[in-house]
């Protein structure tokens, strides 16, 4: 403590034990204090740190720096200084001076914190790095960040931010960077600076003693001042060929960086300009520090865990495709193979794989690759590229090899795909999209994209509302609310839901034909269906005595047990047994041993609506007494269930043994109590077929109802009422989104096409058009049409191709 008093020019108000200080704190709320901590008290605007001293002493703090007169305390070190901030800064500066390893200082208007975090991710495998926590870059944040520096570190990364002239000198002496990064200059904090120039020159003061400075030459103001006044090594880089390092963004997310004759390539998954600029700062600083390109690449991969979109779509000859023709890295391959392995409904699996271009691999690599493919149940490999071809001997599965994509496209093998799942995974250079185009089912460009991750999220959300042993039946009627019942059901099976429900027997048959093995309840099975029900192991909902009798007789003929789900009508008045029917029902069941009651349930008429809560409770009471009556007559206990999606949220206490989840899985929270907790799952998208300019006074479409009141730019889009885009959406009653911009409909919706107003918008032939998704949402469309989201979803016609993806 003695040297602390000396270096800060303070004087002891009272003395305590002699200790080395470990930790400095300024926040009295953090209570991890000990005898080796130093608390620095500030006089703040709303808060005075000095008031907390007695409390902190009780917690065990023995060392204080204060700027106000406080009472001396026996056995406690209290040093009084003129200003606490200055004392803190001085202490950090002293610590920094003893540190000899490289220190990186970062300033500029934007990107400081991101660059610091990314650099940390890249450098921390090679160096033991101390970095500023969060965005600690102020007059107090900086010294607190620097203070812990010591021999256990061999690199420091700190950011500095200023809001007015005069502040940077202090931060410069605390951080004293050996290498600097000047990110860019923006317009924030304008009021305290006379000009942009002054702002740059103030910020540059951070680097007055630095050996090297990394900056982007394309920011002219920064480049000019650095050239004029910075004396160390100027490491300017540029996207325009002007720098010491010149950077080019190549196709397929590759950055080519050139310095004289040296050339480096990195694969980055960033698109926006600001992120690219930030990552280049990190890469060049790492190169300057002598980090190997491979280590830098690994660091970059850690920064942005590959967000890879995997799509499952229908291919030619009853095949399926999963297609990722943009990049090929090992982590991505693992993910794609897992996704392929999950698709249990197709037993034959082929992978079309290109060479990995990032680095050359040894034989061991290919041996491991062979193992991986076998382990993930791949049946056939088509390898494309010289490196895979060269290692063909290591592969144990049926495999063919081509040195390039063209020779594969010209081979006979390309015409031989059928009844299989084909994973296409290749680096951009190999242009495997040519292969996927050939193998994809041709069709109309309007697609319903279904986000399987969002469905999983929503399922987990509803699960989180249930007691651990409440079962889930997922209702996948009407193509799983339009999304695609087979694929969604396969996924639900993977996520281990307990039951599925469909409306009609054919829907259940289709699921069984696709290999779904979960128990399936059929809600509206008729007298014609027993044969199909038995053959495909489907379980009927039973709603009347006549129906039960006819089923029982059919099942008896086949000597089969009837697995029945009894529905009680408690107020919905759709299907089901009324309370007065129960005695007869029970008599019949107890005298027919071939009937097994799997479940007893009811359906709520208005579960999502608060105003009908009393009615709902009445339904529940009626159900419970009916169910009890049935159970009392049976020697076993059937599953009880009541709640649909709205009910799970609004009437959570009526979970019984199972719930029936429907629309909620698709991101629509009908009770509106938990709107923000679900994710959107379905995106209806189409394309612009043609753009035309119409003159004021012309009309657009059938019936001439769309009238151009001014000169207009009109886009014709490839969706109409036959696809499920309702006619009421015409004449400006709805908008679509093109490149993030809203475009209202004009004129009547046609059967297969619609016209939208793109006057003044950037919209071109072939552009993607979002019909629904996040914006506008299905609920929004339902509002426009005066209907409910269920109808919008289930209206998307069969002609619209479903594409399933996971990220
Ligand atoms: C459709 C249906 C459900 C699912 O309802 P959601 O409101 O979509 O959750 C549940 N039970 C029965 C009987 C149904 O017909």
């Amino acid at each position: 403590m003695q040297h602390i008093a000396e270096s800060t020019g303070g004087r002891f108000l009272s003395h305590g034990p002699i200790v080395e200080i470990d930790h400095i704190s300024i926040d009295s709320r953090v209570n991890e204090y000990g005898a080796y901590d130093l608390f620095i008290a500030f006089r703040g605007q709303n808060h005075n740190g000095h008031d907390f001293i007695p409390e902190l002493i009780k917690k065990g703090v023995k060392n204080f720096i204060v700027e106000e007169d406080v009472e001396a305390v026996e056995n406690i070190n209290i040093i009084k200084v003129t200003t606490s901030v200055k004392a803190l800064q001085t202490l950090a500066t002293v610590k920094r001076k003893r540190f000899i390893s490289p220190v990186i200082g970062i300033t500029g208007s934007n990107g400081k914190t991101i660059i610091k975090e990314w650099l940390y991710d890249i450098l921390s495998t090679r160096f033991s790095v101390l970095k500023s926590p969060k965005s600690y870059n102020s007059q107090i944040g900086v010294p607190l960040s620097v203070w812990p520096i010591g021999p256990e570190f061999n690199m420091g990364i700190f950011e500095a931010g200023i809001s007015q002239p005069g502040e940077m000198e202090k931060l410069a002496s605390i951080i004293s960077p050996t290498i600097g990064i000047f990110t860019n200059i923006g317009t924030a904090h304008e009021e305290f600076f006379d000009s942009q120039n002054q702002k740059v020159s103030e910020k540059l003061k951070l680097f007055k003693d630095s050996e090297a400075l990394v900056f982007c030459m394309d920011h002219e103001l920064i480049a000019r001042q650095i050239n004029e006044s910075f004396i160390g090594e100027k490491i300017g880089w540029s996207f325009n060929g002007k720098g010491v390092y010149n950077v080019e963004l190549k196709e397929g997310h590759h950055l080519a960086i050139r310095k004289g004759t040296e050339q480096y390539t990195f694969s980055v998954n960033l698109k926006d300009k600001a992120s690219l600029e930030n990552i280049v700062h990190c890469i060049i600083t790492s190169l300057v520090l002598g980090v190997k390109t491979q280590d830098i690449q690994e660091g970059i991969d850690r920064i942005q865990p590959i967000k890879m979109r995997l799509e499952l779509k229908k291919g030619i000859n009853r095949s399926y495709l999963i297609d990722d023709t943009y990049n090929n890295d090992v982590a991505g391959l693992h993910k794609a193979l897992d996704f392929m392995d999950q698709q249990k409904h197709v037993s034959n699996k082929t992978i079309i794989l290109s060479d990995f271009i990032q680095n050359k691999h040894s034989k061991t690599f290919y041996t491991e690759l062979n193992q991986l493919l076998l382990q993930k149940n791949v049946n056939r490999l088509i390898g494309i590229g010289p490196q895979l071809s060269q290692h063909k001997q290591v592969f144990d599965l049926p495999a063919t090899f081509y040195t390039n994509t063209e020779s594969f496209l010209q081979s006979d093998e390309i015409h031989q795909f059928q009844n299989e799942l084909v994973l296409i995974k290749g680096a951009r250079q190999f242009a495997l999209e040519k292969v996927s185009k050939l193998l994809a089912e041709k069709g109309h460009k309007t697609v319903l994209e279904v986000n399987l991750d969002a469905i999983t999220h929503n399922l987990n959300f509803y699960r989180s509302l249930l007691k651990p042993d409440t079962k889930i039946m997922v209702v996948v009627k009407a193509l799983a609310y339009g999304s695609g019942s087979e694929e969604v059901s396969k996924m639900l099976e993977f996520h281990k839901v307990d039951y599925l429900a469909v409306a009609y027997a054919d829907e259940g048959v289709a699921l069984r034909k696709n290999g779904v093995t979960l128990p399936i309840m059929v809600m509206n099975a008729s007298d014609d269906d027993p044969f199909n029900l038995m053959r495909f192991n489907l379980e009927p909902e039973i709603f009347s005595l006549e129906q039960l009798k006819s089923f029982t007789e059919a099942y008896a003929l086949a000597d089969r047990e009837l697995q029945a789900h009894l529905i009680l009508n408690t107020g919905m008045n759709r299907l089901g047994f009324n309370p007065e029917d129960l005695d007869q029902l029970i008599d019949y069941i107890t005298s027919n041993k071939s009937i097994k009651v799997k479940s007893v349930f009811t359906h709520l008429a208005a579960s999502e609506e608060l105003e009908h809560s009393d009615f709902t409770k009445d339904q529940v009471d009626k159900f419970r007494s009916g169910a009890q009556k049935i159970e009392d007559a049976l020697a076993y206990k059937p599953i009880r269930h009541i709640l649909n999606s709205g009910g799970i949220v609004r009437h959570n206490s009526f979970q019984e043994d199972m719930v029936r989840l429907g629309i909620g899985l698709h991101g629509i929270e009908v009770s509106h109590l938990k709107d923000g907790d679900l994710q959107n799952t379905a995106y209806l998208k189409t394309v612009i077929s043609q753009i035309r300019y119409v003159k004021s006074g012309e009309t657009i479409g059938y019936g001439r109802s769309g009238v151009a009141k001014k000169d207009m730019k009109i886009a014709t889009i490839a969706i109409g009422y036959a696809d499920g885009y309702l006619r009421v959406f015409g004449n400006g009653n709805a908008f679509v989104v093109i490149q993030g911009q809203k475009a209202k409909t004009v004129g009547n919706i046609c059967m297969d096409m619609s016209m939208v107003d793109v006057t003044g918008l950037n919209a071109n032939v072939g552009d993607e058009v979002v019909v629904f998704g996040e914006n506008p949402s299905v609920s929004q469309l339902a509002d426009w049409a005066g209907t409910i989201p269920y109808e919008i979803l289930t209206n998307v016609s069969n002609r619209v191709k479903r594409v399933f993806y996971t990220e």
Side-chain angles (χ1 to χ4, degrees), residues 475 477 481 523 574 601 603 644-646 660-663 790:
V475 183
K477 60 192 177 193
Y481 294 58
M523 299 195 288
R574 188 171 71 176
F601 72 106
H603 194 38
N644 59 353
S645 307
R660 297 185 309 276
L661 175 63
I663 192 130
Y790 297 74

